[in-house]
Amino acid sequence: MKKREADVCVIGGGAAGMLAAGMAAGRGYKVILFEKNQFTGKKLRITGKGRCNVTNDSSVQDVLDNITANSRFMYSSLNGFSPRDVMAFFESLGVPLKTERGQRVFPQSDRAEDIVNALRGFMQKSGVRVVYESVTDIKTEDGHVTAVVTKQSEASCGGVILCTGGLSYPLTGSTGDGYEIAKRLGHTVTELKPSLVPLECKQSFCRDLTGLSLKNVTFSVFDSKGKRLYSELGEMMFTHFGVTGPLVLSASAHLRDYSKGYYGLIDMKPALNEKKLDQRILRDFEKYSNKTINNALVELLPRSMIPIVTTLAGIPHDTKVHDITKAQRTSLVNTVKGIRVDITQPRPIDEAIVTSGGVSVREVNPTTMESKKVSGLYFAGEILDVDAYTGGFNLQIAWSTAYAAGNNITI
Ligand SMILES: Cc1cc2nc3c(=O)[nH]c(=O)nc-3n(C[C@H](O)[C@H](O)[C@H](O)COP(=O)(O)OP(=O)(O)OC[C@H]3O[C@@H](n4cnc5c(N)ncnc54)[C@H](O)[C@@H]3O)c2cc1C
């Protein structure tokens, strides 16, 4: 077995690992970063649909408000490396940024690859050595880390930063290895669940509408008691199992217990209240007065949705517009304002954008990211039990925790 020597070993060459390694090396430590893929930043390359929503240009308080689990744990590290600091950091590495709707920050080039390359350059300049091997264990002696082990080699070191990510999109390398290692070292790993994930629905019409994308609709989610848990305007899509798209992924972060009988309502015309929508439908009916109902709604709804909406509204498809009763019209208005989908379960964790749950933050120092159980062991990124809504907040968690670990690690 090959022997190596380092001051600090970083496990995982994702967003958190690359930043943490560069930071630690910049402070004069001899750093080895272990990455099990053939290259670093595999997940980072596909973030933001290949554009990388690198952070959210908002205050620390706003970021905290967008963190769904354990936001208090993030207070110190976010203040230490805030969204503004992240933006200044990438700009200083030669990646000009731009801010879009919802304060989402992207590289001006719209290329996630530029963020990956900037981090690779940062590591190289700081003197990080990257070893492409999969870590199987961390050795300790008297409660202090002493070495990192792979199948091919062992690297002795005085400090380890564990940044192996979560369980989602396992093809990117995030297969949850770090959770097992952390557990073996005595850490608690809280229940791992998918978050920011597509949702499976009972209604078979979702399958019939597969591929149909809806823009400028409102998607609201309720529990079985009718309590509204989420409501936003935006984009969503039907798929063979249910619904997906930005609105659905965001909604899923608000759903923690699927036995609660969650259901969603899609408002196809959020800009019109019931009265205005009724007037609009009446105008269409006048224009198409000799047509059947399904042919009279072509200007109101996507064609493939029309038979589904009229069925849900209880109007036979061959009903002539001039025969439609006021009650039927009211039913049509109510349906267009609230197409119901009953949510049965989330898609599996490997289809989720992030993993909710992870290494318990009670066992980690929030300022330094050091383990309270094993001296010299640090954590950063998605492996921690912290996750957030969409908008660049999850990467911000990775940057802030990695900065804290890389900047505070001592051996
Ligand atoms: C499709 C998609 C799009 C996303 N878009 C955004 C976005 O636009 N904005 C945003 O804020 N967040 C986004 N996210 C979430 C974001 O990507 C993660 O929160 C972030 O990558 C977490 O960083 P990390 O470094 O902790 O983990 P990862 O980026 O997952 O990195 C972990 C690394 O560890 C390596 N590794 C694992 N086990 C081992 C081992 N045993 N030995 C060696 N190496 C190992 C893996 O190969 C991997 O390279 C997106 C996620 C997905 C899946």
Side-chain angles (χ1 to χ4, degrees):
M1 179 173 279
K2 194 167 178 172
K3 295 278 178 196
R4 304 178 199 275
E5 249 179 59
D7 297 323
V8 171
C9 285
V10 176
I11 309 175
M18 286 199 276
L19 179 63
M23 292 302 302
R27 290 171 53 229
Y29 288 128
K30 186 176 170 193
V31 177
I32 298 180
L33 178 135
F34 287 94
E35 168 52 53
K36 73 175 182 189
N37 291 320
Q38 296 308 306
F39 56 91
T40 48
K42 194 166 180 188
K43 182 174 279 178
L44 200 48
R45 274 167 43 148
I46 59 162
T47 54
K49 295 200 176 126
R51 298 203 301 136
C52 186
N53 180 191
V54 71
T55 186
N56 194 283
D57 185 9
S58 51
S59 67
V60 167
Q61 189 53 51
D62 282 341
V63 179
L64 291 169
D65 291 344
N66 279 280
I67 295 178
T68 31
N70 295 317
S71 61
R72 274 222 322 253
F73 173 80
M74 288 300 300
Y75 184 82
S76 172
S77 62
L78 272 170
N79 275 296
F81 200 54
S82 67
R84 279 294 157 107
D85 296 327
V86 170
M87 291 167 72
F89 172 75
F90 283 108
E91 301 238 346
S92 78
L93 294 179
V95 187
L97 303 171
K98 60 177 173 182
T99 302
E100 297 190 355
R101 186 180 50 83
Q103 301 301 106
R104 291 162 195 250
V105 179
F106 295 87
Q108 271 181 26
S109 62
D110 284 327
R111 282 165 38 103
E113 194 71 30
D114 288 358
I115 296 291
V116 176
N117 286 335
L119 286 167
R120 286 180 186 154
F122 174 61
M123 286 201 296
Q124 201 177 15
K125 217 168 134 200
S126 324
V128 176
R129 184 162 165 227
V130 183
V131 172
Y132 296 98
E133 292 175 13
S134 178
V135 171
T136 52
D137 213 352
I138 297 172
K139 281 192 174 170
T140 58
E141 254 175 58
D142 300 329
H144 194 291
V145 299
T146 54
V148 161
V149 184
T150 75
K151 276 200 183 121
Q152 302 91 325
S153 68
E154 183 170 319
S156 63
C157 60
V160 173
I161 310 178
L162 189 53
C163 319
T164 45
L167 271 178
S168 59
Y169 280 61
L171 286 177
T172 62
S174 319
T175 48
D177 302 5
Y179 299 128
E180 296 312 314
I181 296 174
K183 274 198 241 170
R184 281 204 294 277
L185 293 173
H187 274 278
T188 311
V189 173
T190 61
E191 194 184 351
L192 304 169
K193 291 188 193 170
S195 187
L196 306 181
V197 66
L199 298 172
E200 295 188 11
C201 302
K202 199 167 86 186
Q203 281 75 8
S204 59
F205 64 72
C206 293
R207 193 177 341 107
D208 302 335
L209 294 172
T210 293
L212 177 68
S213 170
L214 304 175
K215 292 202 171 74
N216 293 319
V217 296
T218 300
F219 184 56
S220 309
V221 178
F222 303 81
D223 66 16
S224 57
K225 292 190 183 125
K227 184 176 169 208
R228 195 171 73 177
L229 307 171
Y230 171 87
S231 186
E232 284 287 335
L233 175 83
E235 256 182 84
M236 60 183 287
M237 224 172 95
F238 291 101
T239 70
H240 63 283
F241 54 74
V243 286
T244 189
L247 283 176
V248 175
L249 299 185
S250 297
S252 74
H254 298 256
L255 314 181
R256 299 280 150 172
D257 175 5
Y258 285 83
S259 67
K260 282 199 170 152
Y262 298 128
Y263 67 94
L265 291 181
I266 305 164
D267 182 347
M268 297 292 296
K269 295 288 161 194
L272 304 176
N273 62 23
E274 277 76 1
K275 192 167 165 220
K276 290 228 164 85
L277 178 59
D278 191 41
Q279 288 164 352
R280 159 76 204 269
I281 289 174
L282 273 174
R283 279 202 304 278
D284 284 2
F285 282 4
E286 265 167 41
K287 192 166 167 188
Y288 296 105
S289 60
N290 288 322
K291 303 259 185 191
T292 59
I293 177 77
N294 281 4
N295 287 321
L297 296 176
V298 287
E299 290 179 28
L300 189 75
L301 296 169
R303 211 170 260 280
S304 53
M305 278 198 90
I306 296 172
I308 287 154
V309 167
T310 47
T311 302
L312 290 171
I315 307 172
H317 295 178
D318 56 358
T319 313
K320 290 275 190 211
V321 160
H322 54 250
D323 289 334
I324 287 180
T325 63
K326 173 101 186 5
Q328 282 176 320
R329 224 175 57 230
T330 305
S331 172
L332 180 62
V333 166
N334 291 338
T335 307
V336 172
K337 295 290 289 174
I339 297 173
R340 180 175 169 134
V341 284
D342 290 286
I343 298 160
T344 49
Q345 57 182 2
R347 290 296 283 172
I349 201 159
D350 51 350
E351 291 178 36
I353 299 292
V354 288
T355 304
S356 137
V359 170
S360 169
V361 295
R362 288 201 205 142
E363 299 163 357
V364 180
N365 178 324
T367 309
T368 63
M369 299 297 144
E370 187 173 15
S371 159
K372 292 179 184 171
K373 301 212 163 225
V374 181
S375 121
L377 175 66
Y378 294 72
F379 297 97
E382 202 175 321
I383 189 171
L384 288 161
D385 180 11
V386 189
D387 63 280
Y389 300 135
T390 54
F393 301 108
N394 285 294
L395 278 173
Q396 180 62 45
I397 292 170
W399 309 133
S400 293
T401 52
Y403 183 90
N407 216 23
N408 283 291
I409 191 165
T410 43
I411 64 160

